[in-house]
Amino acid sequence: MSKTDSRPSIQTQMKESIQEEALKVARSIQKPGQTKEQTKLIAQGIAKGIELYKKQQSAKARERDKARKKALRLKQAEMSAQAPGKEDMVFASEATDWGVRGTLILGGAIFAAIACIFAASSFAGWPVSFGPFTLADWASLTTALASAGLSGWFFYKAFKSRF
């Protein structure tokens, strides 16, 4: 905030809102015969209590965050101690065995189906069209080979990798 900026800061706005809320609470619990000065003093006490509470909650949140980060570091240290040199195993250990393997098998099957379709269209002489565009035979065959390669790689990863 620059010196020429006449807008109050966020902290000032928050402090003012706390004071307004405290004054409302103090007025709501005002006793008969209580002076305005006494009500203002009660409101100041309530505002200080609210600020103290917020500071305590912030400190507790920081401590929880520190404890969570420390636990995470300890877990990562355990993982690296169990399998030194295998940083990529951290992700694999958290994933389920058949979740990743099933996804790879499904991807391999989809790419195999695409490869079969493009190879069949290339060898049978069927034109492959996307709207007004027709794919050349060599492009169809190239797509079939690329899809077959991806399919093979997915199946290889699914059955040769340890999860």
Side-chain angles (χ1 to χ4, degrees):
M1 186 169 86
S2 65
K3 291 183 179 181
T4 58
D5 194 2
S6 62
R7 291 181 294 169
S9 69
I10 293 174
Q11 289 179 341
T12 306
Q13 290 174 351
M14 287 179 57
K15 197 168 189 175
E16 287 174 0
S17 70
I18 289 172
Q19 288 174 351
E20 289 173 10
E21 193 65 32
L23 189 59
K24 286 180 187 177
V25 170
R27 285 181 182 153
S28 71
I29 60 171
Q30 188 174 11
K31 303 285 182 187
Q34 185 174 318
T35 65
K36 288 184 179 182
E37 290 80 24
Q38 291 172 332
T39 305
K40 286 184 181 181
L41 288 173
I42 292 171
Q44 287 176 354
I46 292 171
K48 285 183 182 180
I50 292 172
E51 289 175 8
L52 179 63
Y53 176 79
K54 286 187 175 189
K55 285 180 185 177
Q56 289 173 345
Q57 294 304 311
S58 294
K60 286 180 182 179
R62 281 192 300 275
E63 289 300 319
R64 283 191 306 265
D65 192 43
K66 285 180 185 177
R68 184 185 56 81
K69 287 180 180 178
K70 185 177 181 180
L72 183 62
R73 282 193 299 268
L74 286 173
K75 185 178 179 182
Q76 288 176 346
E78 272 183 19
M79 295 296 246
S80 64
Q82 288 176 356
K86 295 186 178 181
E87 292 82 15
D88 59 333
M89 291 300 287
V90 172
F91 170 77
S93 67
E94 293 175 0
T96 60
D97 214 14
W98 280 101
V100 174
R101 183 166 286 148
T103 304
L104 288 171
I105 291 170
L106 178 64
I110 289 171
F111 277 114
I114 291 170
C116 289
I117 290 169
F118 276 99
S121 69
S122 178
F123 291 124
W126 301 328
V128 178
S129 299
F130 298 102
F133 304 104
T134 302
L135 198 62
D137 283 340
W138 65 268
S140 182
L141 191 58
T142 304
T143 305
L145 291 174
S147 297
L150 284 171
S151 173
W153 182 63
F154 273 42
F155 283 126
Y156 173 78
K157 283 296 194 179
F159 294 111
K160 294 295 182 185
S161 296
R162 273 191 270 159
F163 295 107

